[in-house]
Amino acid sequence: MTSFSLQHQAFEPNWFAALDPRTRLLAAVFFTLSALCLSALWPLIALLALALLLTILLGCQWRLIIKRLLAFEGFMVLVLLFLPFTVAGKPWFAIAGMEASYQGVIQALVILLRGNAVVLALLALVGSMEPVKLGYALAGLGIPEKLVQLFMMTVRYIGVLFDEHQRLRTAMKARAFVAGSNWHTWRSYGHLLGMLLVRSMERAQRISGAMRCRGFNGKFHLLTPVKWHRRDTAVLTLAVLLFLLPLEWQWWQYGF
């Protein structure tokens, strides 16, 4: 039975693992904002190269990175296929009587480069962070307490629900269930979702009772509050300056 995890493994340098988690989260936010402000191809290529450099320096495992990128690239393929034919502009080429505009192709490439750069940066900066540490970082940044609690509970029990789903699927296979395009298959999947929902509600009630027995009053107490140090300021400043370089290039080269 495979386990479910929201993070990917990485051989992080010691100095990076010792940073305040808010540093990594803020660096990811600044990188995303920089990518959203870019609209020229060469600065976006430079930003993508910077994201690739981050994944190398921070010890990300390329096998897992590529695996998680495949799902994103599936959506990007649709953008590349249809966007050039839906954006008005100077005709570039035609397929089956449909004309693709030069502006549409450029816009599709911009979206492709921007999306891949952001995804790689998020996987490098935040993807290897423990979910609990990410929750502490969100709380330290002043995110509403209810949202942080919801995130922490989701992280804690989404794996439990995934294991429950796997057990139900194993039970179906033990009864010689074979998926197909027929009424029996859809009815079986409906029963699977129904049983998963019922068991989730039962488990939620047991968890709620156990938390009340331990004195839970609706407030999560952080066991190890995050602390900001001078090295965090230095690393975040350096990261922001690096992320601003493609923006400066776009400004001086293209004037926007």
Side-chain angles (χ1 to χ4, degrees):
M1 181 181 296
T2 59
S3 59
F4 183 85
S5 177
L6 293 176
Q7 67 177 121
H8 68 82
Q9 297 177 353
F11 302 102
E12 299 177 347
N14 293 332
W15 64 268
F16 186 70
L19 290 176
D20 189 307
R22 291 174 293 182
T23 306
R24 302 166 63 172
L25 195 57
L26 289 173
V29 171
F30 280 114
F31 186 96
T32 304
L33 292 177
S34 177
L36 292 176
C37 293
L38 291 174
S39 56
L41 287 180
W42 286 109
L44 278 170
I45 292 174
L47 191 68
L48 179 60
L50 185 58
L52 290 172
L53 181 61
L54 283 175
T55 58
I56 295 173
L57 292 178
L58 301 183
C60 298
Q61 295 187 15
W62 279 103
R63 181 178 61 84
L64 297 177
I65 293 292
I66 294 175
K67 182 179 179 180
R68 297 199 172 188
L69 276 177
L70 287 178
F72 177 74
E73 299 302 339
F75 174 74
M76 287 291 100
V77 168
L78 297 177
V79 174
L80 290 174
L81 289 178
F82 294 104
L83 192 59
F85 298 96
T86 57
V87 175
K90 181 181 179 181
W92 195 13
F93 62 89
I95 299 178
M98 297 184 297
E99 291 185 347
S101 65
Y102 175 80
Q103 289 77 5
V105 173
I106 296 299
Q107 188 170 343
L109 290 177
V110 166
I111 294 175
L112 177 66
L113 293 172
R114 182 185 294 159
N116 280 276
V118 171
V119 170
L120 283 174
L122 290 178
L123 289 176
L125 295 172
V126 184
S128 59
M129 190 188 306
E130 294 182 359
V132 174
K133 186 181 291 187
L134 178 57
Y136 283 9
L138 294 173
L141 291 174
I143 301 299
E145 184 178 354
K146 294 297 182 182
L147 292 179
V148 176
Q149 292 184 12
L150 180 62
F151 173 78
M152 299 284 279
M153 294 294 291
T154 301
V155 166
R156 171 62 181 85
Y157 290 104
I158 192 172
V160 177
L161 297 181
F162 177 79
D163 292 339
E164 188 68 33
H165 172 265
Q166 292 293 92
R167 283 193 291 269
L168 292 173
R169 287 295 303 272
T170 302
M172 293 173 65
K173 292 180 181 179
R175 292 168 174 80
F177 171 76
V178 178
S181 181
N182 51 57
W183 174 250
H184 174 69
T185 298
W186 294 112
R187 184 175 60 183
S188 300
Y189 280 144
H191 291 165
L192 171 64
L193 293 177
M195 286 300 301
L196 184 61
L197 179 61
V198 170
R199 295 193 181 186
S200 300
M201 294 177 64
E202 292 176 350
R203 186 177 292 271
Q205 291 176 356
R206 294 198 300 269
I207 293 170
S208 177
M211 293 175 67
R212 288 193 178 97
C213 289
R214 290 166 174 78
F216 179 70
N217 59 356
K219 180 178 178 60
F220 269 16
H221 299 277
L222 303 181
L223 299 179
T224 54
V226 292
K227 295 182 180 180
W228 190 271
H229 300 281
R230 291 183 178 178
R231 65 171 181 268
D232 300 306
T233 303
V235 170
L236 182 59
T237 303
L238 178 61
V240 171
L241 292 177
L242 286 176
F243 300 158
L244 288 177
L245 288 178
L247 275 175
E248 295 177 0
W249 182 12
Q250 177 175 277
W251 175 262
W252 289 107
Q253 185 73 24
Y254 302 96
F256 57 87

